[in-house]
Amino acid sequence: MRVDRPFIIARENIHILAAVLRSGEEPTLSRAQMQRVVRSHRAHQDYLKHRESLADSDDDDGPQNEDAWLFEDLVVLTKLYARLKDKEQLISLIFEVRRDMSVLSSANGYLSSTQGTTAELMKDIITIFYSPLAQVYRAASIADSIGDLQSFINDLIRTVEATEERMSR
Amino acid sequence: MMRSMFTSSLNEEVKSIEEDIEAVKDKVDDPVICEKVRQFVYAPNDIRAIYKSYSGIVISSQRYT
């Protein structure tokens, strides 16, 4: 199952991309651009079919023509933007400014605090859990615990995804 | 210290992703199409969900063929 997934996701992206590019939202594409997208989408569908028919994925040399390449590039672009967005969200999570606090303290003439809530929280957690954690690390083999934690989180993610899917139906 | 560690590694990653994006943009050679892709990625979750629910229909009906 794990092997299938990336491919399914990639195929979904392409369908979604076609929908996104055809949508009437600003900025809308000109006629020529739309034709280019449609041509590229069709060529890319053919390429996907061709790729599916290959017995060995190593035989895949990428799309055969320029049209299909456009779509493949757009898929890559989507993934890159998604990664950029993830990173930006991570940064804002860590350096989230405690506005209420800084406003309060600057109003009182104190130094304003710009430390992120998340960073603060992590510091507290480490302070609280450091000594028990050190004991646990000494007692247990870390590799096993991390493996267990990984499978637990995997199960958790799967459960949440399944619930979300059921909810959206 | 942890903050500076995070900052430098994250900023580096962001920079390299941005470079990759520029390279792909150059290859696509159409700023409007790239902008649409960007808008889609940065759209809120519910809007992306709408596109996801569209996507099957749009393709099966082949409106533009």
Side-chain angles (χ1 to χ4, degrees):
Chain A
M1 187 194 165
R2 201 177 283 176
V3 181
D4 296 343
R5 275 204 88 164
F7 185 64
I8 290 168
I9 287 168
R11 208 161 48 174
E12 262 175 14
N13 272 344
I14 289 147
H15 292 196
I16 288 167
L17 272 182
V20 168
L21 293 170
R22 290 169 184 188
S23 81
E25 281 206 20
E26 290 294 322
T28 40
L29 300 182
S30 70
R31 221 183 151 70
Q33 286 169 321
M34 193 69 97
Q35 273 166 358
R36 189 176 171 215
V37 167
V38 173
R39 211 173 50 227
S40 155
H41 183 227
R42 218 173 301 150
H44 194 260
Q45 297 283 77
D46 292 344
Y47 158 64
L48 279 188
K49 254 176 237 153
H50 168 68
R51 194 169 66 173
E52 243 171 307
S53 67
L54 292 174
D56 188 350
S57 57
D58 287 348
D59 294 343
D60 177 24
D61 303 322
Q64 294 301 312
N65 56 47
E66 281 298 309
D67 287 342
W69 262 118
L70 172 66
F71 228 89
E72 190 69 20
D73 288 339
L74 288 177
V75 172
V76 173
L77 190 64
T78 314
K79 285 176 184 163
L80 285 173
Y81 271 131
R83 272 167 59 191
L84 187 64
K85 186 188 168 196
D86 283 350
K87 289 275 142 39
E88 284 173 359
Q89 282 179 336
L90 193 61
I91 289 173
S92 68
L93 195 68
I94 294 174
F95 301 109
E96 187 189 8
V97 180
R98 283 193 302 188
R99 285 202 193 79
D100 45 345
M101 286 295 282
S102 50
V103 167
L104 255 178
S105 48
S106 57
N108 291 331
Y110 297 123
L111 282 172
S112 60
S113 148
T114 49
Q115 178 133 37
T117 328
T118 318
E120 189 90 326
L121 186 67
M122 263 160 73
K123 217 171 75 188
D124 288 349
I125 289 174
I126 288 170
T127 327
I128 295 167
F129 288 108
Y130 183 75
S131 56
L133 266 184
Q135 279 177 358
V136 170
Y137 279 170
R138 268 196 296 270
S141 77
I142 303 167
D144 287 355
S145 341
I146 290 179
D148 289 347
L149 181 68
Q150 186 199 4
S151 45
F152 169 71
I153 289 175
N154 278 344
D155 285 350
L156 191 66
I157 291 171
R158 216 172 294 141
T159 313
V160 170
E161 273 178 352
T163 320
E164 273 182 347
E165 236 166 64
R166 218 172 299 142
M167 296 266 281
S168 66
R169 247 180 247 145
Chain B
M1 192 201 80
M2 235 163 71
R3 264 160 62 103
S4 61
M5 222 166 63
F6 274 131
T7 332
S8 61
S9 74
L10 276 173
N11 280 343
E12 251 163 53
E13 278 173 68
V14 167
K15 217 168 278 170
S16 81
I17 293 173
E18 272 168 350
E19 275 165 19
D20 291 351
I21 287 176
E22 285 308 313
V24 178
K25 265 185 175 171
D26 281 351
K27 213 186 150 202
V28 171
D29 195 24
D30 193 324
V32 184
I33 291 179
C34 294
E35 176 59 20
K36 276 187 94 78
V37 172
R38 200 193 68 83
Q39 270 186 7
F40 164 65
V41 174
Y42 279 83
N45 270 338
D46 42 349
I47 290 179
R48 286 211 306 272
I50 293 172
Y51 277 123
K52 271 176 203 171
S53 62
Y54 278 167
S55 51
I57 303 162
V58 173
I59 283 150
S60 61
S61 64
Q62 296 281 307
R63 272 199 292 161
Y64 289 92
T65 51

